[in-house]
Amino acid sequence: MPVRIRLKYCGGCNPRYDRTAIAAMLRADFPQADIAETAKDGPDHFVAVICGCPVACASHDDLRGLAGKTILTSEKDYGKLAAAVRSADLS
Amino acid sequence: MAMMTGEQYVESIRKMNIKIFMFGEKISSAADHPILRPSLNSVKATYDLAHKPEYEDLMTVKSHLTGKKINRFAHIHQSTEDLVKKVKMQRLCGQKTAACFQRCVGMDAFNAIFSTTFECDQKHGTRYHKNFVDFVRESQEKDWTVDGAMTDPKGDRGLSPSKQADPDLYLRVVERRKDGIVVRGAKAHQTGICNSHQVIVMPTIAMGPEDRDYAVSFAVPLDTENLFMIIGRQSCDTRKLEGTRLDVGNCEYGGVEALTIFDNVFVPNNRIFLNGETDFSGMLVERFAGYHRQSYGGCKVGVGDVLIGAAALAADYNGAHKASHVKDKIIEMIHLNETLYSSGIACSAEGFRTEAGNYLIDLLLANVCKQNVTRFPYEITRLAEDIAGGLMVTAPSEKDLRHPELGPYIEKYLRGVAAVPTEDRLKILRLIENLTLGTAAVGYRTESMHGAGSPQAQRIMISRQGNVEQKKQLAKAIARIQ
Ligand SMILES: Cc1cc2nc3c(=O)[nH]c(=O)nc-3n(C[C@H](O)[C@H](O)[C@H](O)COP(=O)(O)OP(=O)(O)OC[C@H]3O[C@@H](n4cnc5c(N)ncnc54)[C@H](O)[C@@H]3O)c2cc1C
Ligand code: SF4
């Protein structure tokens, strides 16, 4: 079963970077992963909450990733997310 | 129906038989007229954005009535977080359209009427709250755009509604029937009414017992019999008929107002939200105005973001971007814009629960927000015009730019920095023209002044809410006055 990553964006009122670039990087670095912005049946392995700024006001209480949830507030946070996905033992 | 897509919204408006007049002629639909279509496009954007994952956290919310996901424009605010997200959503919509996107008025009417009908029922034993909740539920299910109609023509401003020479200068009940009421009058300056599904009417001022027939609130579909509208002119509006994209500045989006006439319109009982209870007229006006004054701390900020970006680009294209005074003017524009946003967010964060359960903004801070809105966009436009240079009002037309003989001269002589095409420079200057003195200035300037009440209306509220007595006590305590 491919690793499943659920993306959740903040509403983007004043983002300090291009939030969709995070999704593009994920798709490029993890071509086998199932990356989706909408809910699917079954659990997600990771949740990435992509916020445009440090306020990080996206609502995500209802989202859970079996192997964790990463909240991104700048492009730099992508490394954190990618490392978590790489190192996860999903066996 | 679930949330509509933008296209479904356009089709739903096209299917309605809304009676619109402009330049002395009847218009078949706002969807198909070049002057009106940009207004409809702005509302369409509020539907399209709600379907995009990167905006849905602001654009959508769970309905407290049905538990379903709805467009936030149809929401009854359940927390201060909802109030904050409302302002952020409006900033976003302003950024995406650089125009008035019109759906805020209905949203603000929803929240004001929700709490006012509840309190009116408690006092008078009426059943308006249920009527209203049913209407909100249907609006959410059908994803309607609802116009909020408060402003009456008002005739002689020194006289109350019932003392006017012509009794119809404030909208009023002319007949009370078993199955409903018949109303006559007009509502002026109605934003986006030509591309809305429904209109909610509210009284425009606090009233005394003698004004009973004027204390009326209700909703009707916009293709109701005996209801029609006459579109307001905007500066440079007929440029939209010329078929060029450059000269209009913003070729996709806009906003339009109309004088709307209710020439003996029947309202069924289940759509009446106030009918003669004059003691609740003032509360409704105050709450609607409060919410709408909060709204401007989001929508005008979003439009301001575009104008600041345009001014910065104009400086880049002009080669003036490194000048210290230009940098400082951009800083000043940002400072003013974010000050507006600050009070929009502050009055939301300081909101509180009403007796009906929805959340109301802090009225003092909302009025401070709007008072700033009556000033700062004017200063922001002044600075934008300063940075843009005179060409924003003297540039030749797109037709001349495309002309085989004239075009090359325009290309040559109106270029700024060598690396930027002349056409791009002209596009940005036209956008600045549009926002500062073209069609969009209706929303960015004059609506900032008068929308949700002229400046004096906020000063009255600030004086009422300002808590001066407590401030005197503070001063006495420090000065050791007993
Ligand atoms: C672009 C735009 C969009 C709008 N959209 C909507 C909308 O969607 N829905 C809606 O309901 N309304 C809308 N409005 C109306 C707006 O709320 C009114 O313009 C505002 O309330 C002022 O009313 P007025 O235009 O009649 O001005 P007036 O009331 O004529 O005010 C003009 C001046 O006279 C002063 N004045 C007026 N009456 C008195 C008095 N009794 N005593 C002392 N001074 C007085 C005012 O303070 C002001 O300085 C919109 C307005 C604009 C410009
Ligand atoms: S996280 Fe920042 S950019 Fe995103 S909606 Fe919240 S405040 Fe706006």
Side-chain angles (χ1 to χ4, degrees):
Chain A
M1 177 182 167
V3 57
R4 186 190 278 177
I5 308 172
R6 172 76 196 275
L7 305 182
K8 164 80 193 190
Y9 292 99
C10 73
C13 72
N14 197 14
R16 312 301 203 258
Y17 66 102
D18 176 8
R19 295 163 303 141
T20 58
I22 300 287
M25 286 193 276
L26 266 180
R27 289 192 168 106
D29 290 348
F30 302 97
Q32 313 297 336
D34 176 4
I35 300 169
E37 280 104 352
T38 48
K40 291 187 177 175
D41 286 341
D44 299 310
H45 296 114
F46 288 96
V47 171
V49 184
I50 308 173
C51 297
C53 78
V55 176
C57 66
S59 310
H60 56 83
D61 287 352
D62 56 330
L63 298 181
R64 222 174 66 80
L66 294 176
K69 187 189 296 192
T70 306
I71 297 167
L72 300 89
T73 59
S74 81
E75 241 160 358
K76 280 190 248 145
D77 292 339
Y78 176 71
K80 199 165 67 172
L81 172 65
V85 176
R86 265 190 209 103
S87 64
D89 177 5
L90 301 173
S91 55
Chain B
M1 169 181 298
M3 292 189 315
M4 279 196 269
T5 62
E7 275 313 318
Q8 287 169 331
Y9 156 71
V10 174
E11 278 317 304
S12 68
I13 292 294
R14 200 174 261 133
K15 274 189 206 135
M16 292 179 73
N17 181 24
I18 305 178
K19 286 171 265 328
I20 308 170
F21 294 89
M22 187 169 49
F23 302 133
E25 284 172 12
K26 187 166 182 301
I27 306 298
S28 63
S29 168
D32 302 309
H33 194 283
I35 289 186
L36 304 182
R37 179 68 199 214
S39 167
L40 177 118
N41 285 345
S42 296
V43 177
K44 177 174 179 285
T46 69
Y47 288 89
D48 286 331
L49 288 169
H51 289 277
K52 297 201 167 154
E54 63 270 35
Y55 304 117
E56 68 170 359
D57 193 68
L58 292 179
M59 297 300 305
T60 67
V61 64
K62 194 161 105 178
S63 162
H64 83 290
L65 294 172
T66 63
K68 290 186 195 154
K69 184 167 151 181
I70 55 165
N71 195 301
R72 190 179 292 278
F73 280 105
H75 187 45
I76 301 293
H77 313 304
Q78 298 298 303
S79 61
T80 52
E81 186 190 339
D82 272 353
L83 291 171
V84 168
K85 286 203 168 176
K86 169 197 163 185
V87 172
K88 291 184 177 189
M89 169 182 75
Q90 292 170 310
R91 183 172 191 169
L92 171 71
C93 292
Q95 290 170 347
K96 296 295 180 191
T97 59
C100 168
F101 40 87
Q102 309 148 39
R103 269 180 104 177
C104 315
V105 203
M107 168 175 56
D108 294 337
F110 270 27
N111 279 276
I113 299 174
F114 187 85
S115 60
T116 306
T117 50
F118 183 89
E119 289 176 44
C120 181
D121 288 359
Q122 298 286 309
K123 182 168 173 201
H124 292 291
T126 43
R127 288 176 51 81
Y128 301 137
H129 191 64
K130 183 188 175 300
N131 284 354
F132 189 65
V133 170
D134 288 347
F135 176 71
V136 173
R137 189 178 285 112
E138 194 173 345
S139 300
Q140 293 181 345
E141 290 282 330
K142 297 189 171 153
D143 206 3
W144 280 332
T145 289
V146 179
D147 175 272
M150 177 161 277
T151 311
D152 292 282
K154 296 183 294 198
D156 183 337
R157 270 68 174 155
L159 299 175
S160 68
S162 52
K163 301 280 179 318
Q164 296 289 329
D166 180 339
D168 296 338
L169 288 173
Y170 285 76
L171 189 140
R172 65 186 177 124
V173 180
V174 289
E175 190 185 344
R176 288 191 166 83
R177 293 171 19 182
K178 240 187 177 158
D179 52 348
I181 51 174
V182 177
V183 298
R184 185 160 67 229
K187 290 288 178 181
H189 321 290
Q190 291 310 299
T191 298
I193 197 161
C194 65
N195 44 245
S196 297
H197 302 100
Q198 299 269 329
V199 54
I200 298 185
V201 166
M202 297 163 281
T204 202
I205 48 168
M207 292 177 187
E210 68 284 4
D211 294 324
R212 182 171 173 262
D213 290 341
Y214 297 89
V216 62
S217 176
F218 60 86
V220 286
L222 277 161
D223 50 6
T224 294
E225 210 180 330
N226 299 337
L227 189 162
F228 61 96
M229 58 194 77
I230 308 165
I231 298 292
R233 287 217 70 166
Q234 298 179 330
S235 125
C236 311
D237 52 5
T238 46
R239 281 195 199 179
K240 291 177 187 168
L241 299 175
E242 293 169 10
T244 60
R245 292 167 73 88
L246 197 156
D247 293 350
V248 290
N250 182 347
C251 61
E252 180 101 23
Y253 301 110
V256 157
E257 287 73 31
L259 173 66
T260 304
I261 291 143
F262 298 72
D263 196 17
N264 297 321
V265 169
F266 174 70
V267 184
N269 282 328
N270 67 339
R271 287 294 198 239
I272 299 175
F273 314 133
L274 192 74
N275 182 8
E277 294 76 13
T278 48
D279 47 341
F280 282 88
S281 180
M283 177 188 285
L284 183 48
V285 173
E286 188 174 291
R287 291 186 180 178
F288 169 78
Y291 282 120
H292 210 45
R293 290 168 193 175
Q294 167 210 28
S295 284
Y296 288 161
C299 69
K300 304 298 175 218
V301 178
V303 178
D305 285 328
V306 178
L307 183 55
I308 294 167
L313 283 170
D316 289 349
Y317 295 175
N318 234 0
H321 56 294
K322 289 192 183 136
S324 61
H325 79 95
V326 170
K327 284 187 195 160
D328 192 56
K329 281 168 184 155
I330 302 281
I331 292 168
E332 179 63 9
M333 291 166 88
I334 295 169
H335 160 72
L336 292 167
N337 207 39
E338 299 297 340
T339 305
L340 297 180
Y341 186 56
S342 315
S343 44
I345 292 294
C347 69
S348 309
E350 293 284 275
F352 59 92
R353 197 170 186 275
T354 67
E355 286 177 35
N358 66 332
Y359 272 67
L360 184 62
I361 62 288
D362 179 284
L363 286 170
L364 174 62
L365 295 177
N367 278 278
V368 169
C369 176
K370 172 69 211 310
Q371 183 80 175
N372 284 337
V373 171
T374 66
R375 298 170 181 175
F376 296 176
Y378 287 85
E379 181 61 8
I380 293 171
T381 53
R382 191 184 73 79
L383 291 166
E385 289 186 35
D386 179 347
I387 292 170
L391 196 57
M392 65 168 265
V393 290
T394 64
S397 69
E398 181 173 352
K399 274 191 184 145
D400 294 320
L401 180 68
R402 308 272 176 244
H403 191 275
E405 282 153 38
L406 303 174
Y409 286 102
I410 295 172
E411 288 278 0
K412 176 180 164 74
Y413 287 111
L414 297 187
R415 185 167 286 241
V417 295
V420 175
T422 303
E423 185 168 339
D424 287 357
R425 184 171 180 231
L426 294 177
K427 278 181 180 167
I428 278 298
L429 294 174
R430 286 288 181 216
L431 174 58
I432 295 174
E433 180 199 29
N434 172 255
L435 284 163
T436 55
L437 45 86
T439 52
V442 171
Y444 192 59
R445 291 176 56 130
T446 314
E447 191 188 347
S448 291
M449 178 67 77
H450 289 292
S454 311
Q456 186 59 18
Q458 292 107 59
R459 299 188 81 78
I460 292 168
M461 282 300 290
I462 291 169
S463 88
R464 268 196 224 146
Q465 306 265 337
N467 204 6
V468 178
E469 284 313 313
Q470 187 250 5
K471 295 182 199 324
K472 286 183 190 167
Q473 293 307 324
L474 294 173
K476 278 185 178 174
I478 297 288
R480 298 284 188 270
I481 298 172
Q482 294 303 316

